[in-house]
Amino acid sequence: MRSLGAALNRVGNNVNQVARRLNEARVPGERPSYPASSHHDVRALAGLVFDLADQVQEMS
């Protein structure tokens, strides 16, 4: 269970890095090259992964 929690945390960190890159790609005054829903979806995915990791760590 602990290794599963650690793996989920690593996945969450990778998802956060993707979200950070999406934020950095935004240029004020210009339309992003990706749909607005992508940013929201990545943030939601990161939250889900970290919540799962927390639950797995509590179970272990």
Side-chain angles (χ1 to χ4, degrees), residues 11-57:
V11 169
N13 287 333
N14 290 339
V15 172
N16 272 342
Q17 288 178 355
V18 169
R20 190 174 304 122
R21 296 299 182 261
L22 288 173
N23 284 335
E24 291 170 356
R26 297 176 86 175
V27 177
E30 292 184 22
R31 262 185 97 145
S33 59
Y34 54 87
S37 62
S38 293
H39 186 260
H40 174 74
D41 292 344
V42 169
R43 286 287 183 193
L45 179 59
L48 174 65
V49 169
F50 283 124
D51 286 345
L52 287 172
D54 289 345
Q55 289 175 16
V56 167
Q57 287 179 348

